[in-house]
Amino acid sequence: GESVGLHLPTLSVQEGDNSIINCAYSNSASDYFIWYKQESGKGPQFIIDIRSNMDKRQGQRVTVLLNKTVKHLSLQIAATQPGDSAVYFCAENIRGGSYIPTFGRGTSLIVHP
Amino acid sequence: DGGITQSPKYLFRKEGQNVTLSCEQNLNHDAMYWYRQDPGQGLRLIYYSQIVNDFQKGDIAEGYSVSREKKESFPLTVTSAQKNPTAFYLCASSIDRLGQPQHFGDGTRLSIL
């Protein structure tokens, strides 16, 4: 079946570096993508989203890139801080399907001071 | 502030016992969801509701039940038929249309005594 997945389960970076978290999706009908951040013992928080008619979207210190050709999504975090340490999930909504997103397994980001 | 409140934060279940997890939202969202999260795993959908007095099974509904008598409330009952209930349970809500992110509560951690 088609699924959302992540390339790296754990990513370790130094404080101040840029972080890139990747996500592969296989359903070409997906048209809306969301990144969530989940801190330990808490629920996921919305970070940023992107629709399939866009290639790039920027927020505060975060950028999401969408490559529909290779079905790849990435989250870039600039000047990573210890407070960015968390698990990051990507999720997709499928065009014409239900509005319920499909979640990937998550990537754990560890920021070393 | 608007948000989703889950209670209790920690819950223990005895053998053969049913337990109910509370989820309340004041975001005026039509749609509400319950997810189960196991260590190192993504979110798996248990049940969802698009409107009051209506709900649908998700991917892992067996051993669980829900009700949606009020727009702001979507309690989940973990029944004795659920043989492996130990997990982190997350409730979410969203505007009922495609292309909208979900808002999550901070979860309830359920353990077996």
Side-chain angles (χ1 to χ4, degrees):
Chain A
E2 303 198 17
S3 63
V4 174
L6 293 169
H7 293 306
L8 296 173
T10 303
L11 177 64
S12 292
V13 300
Q14 290 295 128
E15 182 178 1
D17 287 351
N18 295 334
S19 301
I20 300 176
I21 300 171
N22 297 303
C23 178
Y25 67 96
S26 56
N27 193 328
S28 58
S30 296
D31 67 346
Y32 176 62
F33 304 87
I34 315 144
W35 280 101
Y36 291 95
K37 171 187 180 183
Q38 185 178 24
E39 297 176 354
S40 181
K42 295 191 174 182
Q45 293 175 282
F46 169 80
I47 302 173
I48 193 167
D49 57 5
I50 189 167
R51 301 181 195 281
S52 59
N53 60 353
M54 303 171 69
D55 297 322
K56 179 179 179 178
R57 190 164 188 220
Q58 286 185 290
Q60 188 175 18
R61 282 201 308 120
V62 295
T63 300
V64 55
L65 299 177
L66 177 62
N67 186 330
K68 294 180 286 294
T69 301
V70 296
K71 298 188 186 70
H72 185 267
L73 189 70
S74 68
L75 177 70
Q76 300 179 0
I77 304 174
T80 314
Q81 303 167 0
D84 294 326
S85 294
V87 175
Y88 290 81
F89 292 96
C90 67
E92 63 175 340
N93 269 125
I94 300 169
R95 182 188 320 120
S98 77
Y99 51 82
I100 300 168
T102 300
F103 287 85
R105 191 163 63 95
T107 292
S108 177
L109 175 65
I110 300 171
V111 182
H112 300 282
Chain B
D1 282 0
I4 299 181
T5 302
Q6 289 188 242
S7 62
K9 190 163 181 64
Y10 301 96
L11 188 59
F12 298 91
R13 195 191 88 169
K14 294 181 182 178
E15 200 71 35
Q17 186 181 43
N18 294 351
V19 292
T20 298
L21 284 60
S22 171
C23 178
E24 303 279 329
Q25 56 102 357
N26 60 4
L27 298 165
N28 200 33
H29 286 168
D30 286 310
M32 296 188 74
Y33 317 76
W34 275 104
Y35 291 93
R36 170 180 172 141
Q37 186 175 34
D38 293 285
Q41 301 294 316
L43 278 61
R44 292 188 290 168
L45 183 66
I46 304 173
Y47 268 98
Y48 66 99
S49 169
Q50 295 174 259
I51 197 168
V52 174
N53 292 324
D54 184 60
F55 47 83
Q56 306 296 327
K57 292 182 179 180
D59 300 321
I60 55 166
E62 187 174 348
Y64 301 97
S65 66
V66 293
S67 62
R68 188 84 187 277
E69 297 176 2
K70 299 186 293 182
K71 185 176 185 177
E72 59 270 24
S73 179
F74 191 40
L76 173 74
T77 296
V78 183
T79 75
S80 57
Q82 173 49 247
K83 298 306 178 188
N84 184 23
T86 298
F88 190 49
Y89 290 87
L90 288 160
C91 179
S93 71
S94 71
I95 296 172
D96 185 16
R97 64 173 183 266
L98 284 168
Q100 295 295 325
Q102 292 173 316
H103 297 254
F104 286 85
D106 276 341
T108 292
R109 190 166 299 279
L110 176 63
S111 303
I112 297 180
L113 280 178

